[in-house]
Amino acid sequence: MTATTGPDHGVPHRMGKITPLAFALTVGAAAFVLVSFNHVGLSWEKILGGGPGLARLVSQMFPPDLSRLTPVLVSLLETFQMAVVGTVLGIAFSLPLAVMASAKHAPHPLLRIGFRGLIAFFRTVPDLIWALVFVIAVGLGPAAGTLAIMIDTIGFCARFFAEAMEEADDGPQEALTAMGAGRTGILFSAVYPQVIPSFIATGLFALEKATRSSVVLGLVGAGGIGIELKVAMDFFSYDLACMIIISIFILVLMVEQASGWLRARVL
Amino acid sequence: MSESTATRSRPVEPGIPEASGVECNFIPGPVVTEVPADRPATVCAVDRLVLRFGGRGSPAILKGVSLVIADGEAVAVLGSNGAGKSTLLRCLPRLLEPSEGSVSLLGEDVMSLRRAGLRRLRSRIGFVFQRHNLSTRLSVLSNVIHGAHGRAGALRACHQALAPQELREEAMDCLAQVSLTDLAGRRADQLSGGQSQRVAIARALMQRPEIMIADEPVASLDPSSAEEVMDLFARLMRERGITLIFTSHHLKHALAYGDRVVALKAGLVVEDKPTARLREQDLDWIYDSNDRT
């Protein structure tokens, strides 16, 4: 029996044609991943060999040491205050920066490019680096951490605020323009009312992010509970460290739950 | 009793919603549109207006439109989709920048105005859009107060809670004209299409306009609401002697509410006649695909 072929329907190929450049980039990327695995020295022996050490650590962590609960809670409160103040300041500065970085609302394209660059710079430098910078600038303590969180929040919020403003419906803005409203009037009457839910959601995400960040900023002396955790680990007080970690976990969880609930109500 | 008196003497008015949410008693008074004594007899003159989206070589949407509109006139602009009606209306207050030609509105050379002058002129011109264009997350009262942006400033006119009492009362007067005082505190996204368009009209009245431009103001409404809104709109303009320029696809509306019909076809004026001399069937050809021009 001879195999018969059906009529030619011009069925598309399973995969599009790959260019030599795309092929080379794919192979290069795959090779880089493999080399990286080799370079970081991760192996089954190491993972399995770490098991006893991990078990010993966990056994020393429990039960958690509650003797220093009060000072730890005070530090935790300071950490959360750093996060709140840093986030509030960051959001306040993000509002005008977002206007300048928005394609529709910036007074001049060059200003928009400049402000976009500034916001990208704030975002790409990690918060721990900002904390180091501000520890040098304003000294050890929560002020440095708060400023670091503020800059990190600006990098995060100003970008999303600008995008939300660009996506706002043009209709009300056109109506306000037709009525003779100026730039500020259009922003306050047509743009902000539309994007406020998005701003609030972004702000709450920023607060969650800031709460997590503020925990580690103490490691470089920028205030908060991070320094307590570092000291506990340095002195092998793993039971105390465990109590601090559980406290941090509860704080972050509470902030995430509250922020999720608020977001659901606003959106 | 005249229609306007009848509107003003409605028995119960729910009052202005307080900034705090507490309501107060309110009896609406008449909205006074102050028309300057020296207003020119010709309020709008368009001369050889051309608009292209793109450079000189690109096809023109408006191909040399000329038009003169007298004070107090109601002009219906007709034409099929893409004829250039909305484009023409948007060119008048330079919401779209014309490529060539001139526009004179209320005695001002629109093309030569700089930003501040243009804003001042726009504040004297009401513009009602097909899709009402309200700030939907704000209350009806805040939306109407937006009409005072040109004279009250950005912060006083952006929200009813920040507006001075006289603006809030004037906004309630405007809402009374469109019979919506009872919805003053409601959010604009909870209104029907007809209610939204009436709020847009109240917002335009809040501007104390000398000219009203309306781009298919009832196109998105069902026939009964369209009739009701168009009737209200035209009556309010007539009562105040405000010049009205509106576009419509309804020949019946054009003949009923316009003193004059200007028909556009492919970016050119192809008909310009008083409605008294026109019947519906005289205008049918405007929508024919066979170009009679």
Side-chain angles (χ1 to χ4, degrees):
Chain A
M1 197 169 78
T2 52
T4 56
T5 55
D8 181 11
H9 291 302
V11 181
H13 292 285
R14 288 179 190 276
M15 293 176 73
K17 277 187 181 170
I18 189 162
T19 61
L21 179 66
F23 180 74
L25 285 173
T26 309
V27 170
F32 181 74
V33 172
L34 288 173
V35 169
S36 300
F37 262 104
N38 189 42
H39 196 78
V40 298
L42 201 61
S43 64
W44 283 114
E45 293 79 43
K46 274 205 171 159
I47 293 168
L48 295 174
L54 189 65
R56 197 168 50 250
L57 176 66
V58 170
S59 71
Q60 287 174 14
M61 280 180 143
F62 286 93
D65 175 11
L66 299 178
S67 63
R68 281 183 48 77
L69 183 63
T70 309
V72 165
L73 287 181
V74 170
S75 283
L76 201 63
L77 179 65
E78 181 187 271
T79 307
F80 185 56
Q81 286 170 331
M82 277 165 55
V84 169
V85 175
T87 307
V88 168
L89 287 175
I91 289 173
F93 283 111
S94 294
L95 290 171
L97 284 178
V99 175
M100 304 305 264
S102 152
K104 278 189 196 166
H105 306 99
H108 194 278
L110 282 177
L111 275 176
R112 182 178 65 84
I113 293 167
F115 278 96
R116 286 233 159 202
L118 181 69
I119 293 164
F121 178 66
F122 285 168
R123 192 173 55 250
T124 46
V125 175
D127 46 8
L128 215 55
I129 309 286
W130 286 118
L132 283 170
V133 169
F134 286 116
V135 162
I136 295 165
V138 300
L140 293 166
T146 306
L147 289 172
I149 288 168
M150 181 190 80
I151 295 290
D152 197 45
T153 302
I154 293 173
F156 177 74
C157 284
R159 177 196 168 180
F160 286 107
F161 286 2
E163 284 175 7
M165 288 167 68
E166 283 169 11
E167 286 163 14
D169 182 10
D170 288 333
Q173 297 175 57
E174 190 185 23
L176 265 293
T177 307
M179 283 185 259
R183 202 185 295 272
T184 317
I186 292 169
L187 280 173
F188 280 94
S189 298
V191 181
Y192 286 149
Q194 277 188 73
V195 297
I196 269 181
S198 165
F199 278 17
I200 292 174
T202 305
L204 289 169
F205 274 126
L207 180 63
E208 285 178 34
K209 189 169 168 295
T211 309
R212 285 191 295 268
S213 297
S214 59
V215 168
V216 292
L217 295 184
L219 298 177
V220 293
I225 201 166
I227 191 69
E228 298 273 353
L229 183 61
K230 185 173 185 302
V231 170
M233 292 297 247
D234 287 351
F235 284 87
F236 308 109
S237 306
Y238 297 129
D239 48 356
L240 178 61
C242 178
M243 193 266 285
I244 294 170
I245 291 167
I246 290 170
S247 309
I248 291 168
F249 169 72
I250 291 171
L251 172 70
V252 172
L253 196 69
M254 278 167 54
V255 171
E256 284 185 0
Q257 289 298 312
S259 131
W261 179 79
L262 272 172
R263 262 199 308 276
R265 282 185 66 89
V266 169
L267 292 177
Chain B
M1 188 161 49
S2 72
E3 279 177 272
S4 61
T5 318
T7 309
R8 285 201 296 273
S9 61
R10 289 164 77 239
V12 180
E13 292 298 337
I16 308 174
E18 286 294 300
S20 60
V22 181
E23 299 205 337
C24 67
N25 291 327
F26 171 72
I27 308 295
V31 174
V32 180
T33 303
E34 290 167 20
V35 181
D38 58 346
R39 191 163 77 176
T42 297
V43 291
C44 172
V46 178
D47 189 28
R48 284 167 286 179
L49 198 72
V50 176
L51 182 115
R52 295 184 193 88
F53 292 119
R56 270 207 159 266
S58 54
I61 310 297
L62 298 177
K63 298 170 183 168
V65 172
S66 295
L67 195 62
V68 175
I69 297 172
D71 189 9
E73 214 177 0
V75 177
V77 181
L78 296 178
S80 54
N81 290 333
K85 307 184 296 293
S86 301
T87 308
L88 172 63
L89 295 198
R90 279 174 166 73
C91 282
L92 299 181
R94 266 172 64 194
L95 292 177
L96 286 175
E97 206 64 54
S99 313
E100 292 168 35
S102 69
V103 178
S104 163
L105 273 180
L106 299 166
E108 302 253 23
D109 177 8
V110 180
M111 305 306 291
S112 66
L113 288 175
R114 299 178 75 90
R115 189 177 290 177
L118 192 56
R119 278 213 305 268
R120 270 195 300 277
L121 176 67
R122 283 171 177 167
S123 71
R124 299 163 65 194
I125 302 166
F127 206 122
V128 174
F129 295 84
Q130 180 182 339
R131 237 194 74 224
H132 58 76
N133 288 351
L134 300 177
S135 283
T136 49
R137 293 185 65 85
L138 295 183
S139 69
V140 165
L141 185 59
S142 288
N143 271 286
V144 177
I145 288 172
H146 287 172
H149 260 287
R151 61 179 192 276
L155 293 178
R156 285 150 58 96
C158 73
H159 196 280
Q160 61 96 6
L162 301 176
Q165 189 61 13
E166 63 267 22
L167 277 191
R168 291 158 53 77
E169 284 175 9
E170 189 179 340
M172 287 305 287
D173 282 339
C174 294
L175 278 173
Q177 305 305 309
V178 297
S179 309
L180 281 182
T181 46
D182 49 338
L183 298 183
R186 188 176 288 187
R187 249 172 66 156
D189 54 5
Q190 292 167 1
L191 302 176
S192 69
Q195 287 169 338
S196 298
Q197 203 56 299
R198 283 196 282 162
V199 174
I201 293 168
R203 180 178 63 182
L205 289 177
M206 187 71 185
Q207 285 181 255
R208 305 175 185 167
E210 292 163 57
I211 299 183
M212 183 72 82
I213 299 173
D215 184 14
E216 299 190 35
V218 296
S220 57
L221 307 182
D222 62 69
S224 131
S225 306
E227 211 65 49
E228 192 185 312
V229 169
M230 199 62 217
D231 202 48
L232 170 78
F233 190 38
R235 177 172 60 77
L236 289 171
M237 296 307 109
R238 250 196 327 270
E239 281 172 5
R240 287 161 179 72
I242 299 171
T243 308
L244 171 64
I245 310 168
F246 69 100
T247 61
S248 179
H249 277 308
H250 297 272
L251 298 179
K252 206 183 282 178
H253 287 171
L255 295 176
Y257 302 114
D259 302 322
R260 192 172 129 205
V261 162
V262 172
L264 288 181
K265 197 155 194 173
L268 289 165
V269 175
V270 290
E271 189 83 273
D272 187 346
K273 275 186 183 161
T275 47
R277 285 168 35 202
L278 286 168
R279 292 165 307 158
E280 260 189 68
Q281 52 268 40
D282 296 334
L283 297 166
D284 281 342
W285 68 273
I286 295 164
Y287 296 95
D288 283 351
S289 51
N290 300 325
D291 197 347
R292 214 175 79 172
T293 60

